[in-house]
Amino acid sequence: MAPQTRRMAFPRVVIERDTDTEQSSSEDEEEDREEGPFSESEEEVTENGCEEKIEEDLDAKRKGKAPITISLKKVCKVCKKPGHEAGFKGATYIDCPMKPCFLCKMPGHTTMSCPHRVATEYGVTPASHRNAGNPVEYVFERQLRPNMTYMKPAHVIPDQVNCAVIRYHSRRVTCLEFHPTNNHILLSGDKKGQVGVWDFYKVSEKIVYGNIHSCIVNNIRFNPTNDGTVYAASSDGTVSCTDLETGLALSLMNVNPNGWHGPRTWRMLYGMDINPEKGVVLVADNFGFLYLVDARTNSRSGEAILIHRKGSKVVGLHCNPIQPELLLSCGNDHFARIWDIRRLEAGSSLCDLPHKRVVNSAYFSPSGSKILTTSQDNRLRIWDSIFGNLDSPSREIVHSHDFNRHLTPFRAEWDPKDPSESLAVIGRYISENYNGAALHPIDFIDITTGQLVAEVMDPNITTISPVNKLHPRDDVLASGSSRSIFIWRPKEKSELVEQKEEMKIIVCGKADKKQKHKFGDESEDSDDDTSKLKRKNVRSKKSRKS
């Protein structure tokens, strides 16, 4: 008996072209010819017309096998539906119309046509001049707001780069802190665990301590009784006390004494603040617990206290600057909570402030009477008085800060020099097209009306600036963008400084990596916009050759 052989007949492949969509450009056609494995057969099908396709269908039916049809329709990368496209076109990003707006999270329009993008004050009810409702409230409010003025002063915006250190850290910057008494000292922490000390008056005087922590430095605070030492909380689960002159660090607490046993048991410390009256360092971890460290004995005191939902990350702690017994916390359980430090117990919060998504930060105002929070739902929320109704915020301002995981969280912070407590600063996530370049400005927002007071940018800074800190005494803004740190001053003051001493931009790293540009190249090993920068360089080279 003759051996049976397997039939090698397969159904023929028919490729259909979407005739309803727009014709692609010559460059797209060339790319399709290079990348498409069926480009030659596709041309044959279109040339022979429908007759050949009908014959193939009949042949396939006779053999008992239906033809395989492959469609080359252009579909959206987000919703996988034809008829529209989404993604970057040049320096602008186009949303998918089938999804809610990325900025305001509401359906019916895209980010390009979002009314909140045109005017930040859209839908915001301005704050009204409010008098105290009763004598007790008036007394307490005047105690917390002794220097408040009802007249808004003219805001001084630092809008020009005065000096910078390019590639200062080996990884992206995660936190910044100005020296409490020395006006020209700035501290910074990065993702690798390094702590940097920089004198931005003498730009070249800088030092980086790399032996303090082994992981992300999430918060830095100065010792209120000794400004020569600084506390830092890290994702390696330790709290350190470092002498800035010698660089010697002392570990005050380690919540992972047994080492690594998997991500389910590893505790990371995020939020941190200091109560100067009690001499206590307060830190919180990624499991919802609060720890107290005695700054006088440099040791942990008491047991851990559950202040947020168990298993949720507590990302921020802030003591009231006038009444330090009041503690404000925020976390991944979509809540910001107010606590009394004198009776800290699980479930004993004075007030819970609900949010729709993760709360990146929550801060008392300099007078201690207002609250400003930043949430992942692209909202800034303001409570005008902690003595009033806290069931709902006084105002919600739509702002773009819904970031991806490769960025430091955006945090809106008060201007400590503003007596009217109406100015806040925060970086912007969605890029804007400025003369063909995609830039991410730093926004100054009037929180009483929601208006955009100023947007600060520089054409040489193409990366995102999520970490921003206003100086408590000078008109200076420090911003961390990728691995670099920039110092901004008002244009008039910056010109005066330049007359005394030329503006300096320090580029760290090897000499062959330096460029002629004023702020250097940050594309190498950057966590932000690396692919976009490489694509732009390739496109520019191709256009020059052509």
Side-chain angles (χ1 to χ4, degrees), residues 153-162 415 417-418 422-426 441-446 451-457 470-471 474-478 487-494:
H155 298 301
V156 180
I157 305 298
D159 55 357
Q160 187 173 6
V161 174
N162 176 253
D415 183 0
K417 304 180 299 300
D418 180 19
S422 60
L423 191 65
V425 61
I426 183 173
I442 302 170
D443 293 333
F444 288 82
I445 300 176
D446 188 341
Q451 293 182 352
L452 182 64
V453 178
E455 48 184 6
V456 174
M457 74 202 79
L470 284 167
H471 201 285
D474 290 344
D475 295 324
V476 172
L477 168 67
I487 297 295
W488 305 73
R489 291 181 180 273
K491 189 174 182 180
E492 295 78 9
K493 292 186 178 182
S494 183

Side-chain angles (χ1 to χ4, degrees), residues 332-347:
N332 284 13
D333 60 350
H334 302 187
F335 276 95
R337 307 179 193 273
I338 303 176
W339 305 82
D340 189 345
I341 298 180
R342 293 167 293 189
R343 55 183 190 94
L344 271 174
E345 295 177 358

Side-chain angles (χ1 to χ4, degrees), residues 353-370:
L353 309 179
H355 293 69
K356 293 183 179 179
R357 288 187 63 187
V358 172
V359 187
N360 293 340
S361 65
Y363 295 106
F364 286 112
S365 62
S367 69
S369 61
K370 297 181 180 181

Side-chain angles (χ1 to χ4, degrees), residues 168 182 184-186 197-207:
Y168 180 32
N182 199 333
H184 49 87
I185 298 296
L186 176 67
V197 183
W198 181 35
D199 186 345
F200 55 86
Y201 277 13
K202 304 173 183 177
V203 184
S204 58
E205 292 190 8
K206 54 184 174 58
I207 188 171

Side-chain angles (χ1 to χ4, degrees), residues 321-338:
I322 306 299
Q323 298 290 339
E325 292 84 6
L326 294 179
L327 174 67
L328 181 62
S329 65
C330 62
N332 284 13
D333 60 350
H334 302 187
F335 276 95
R337 307 179 193 273
I338 303 176

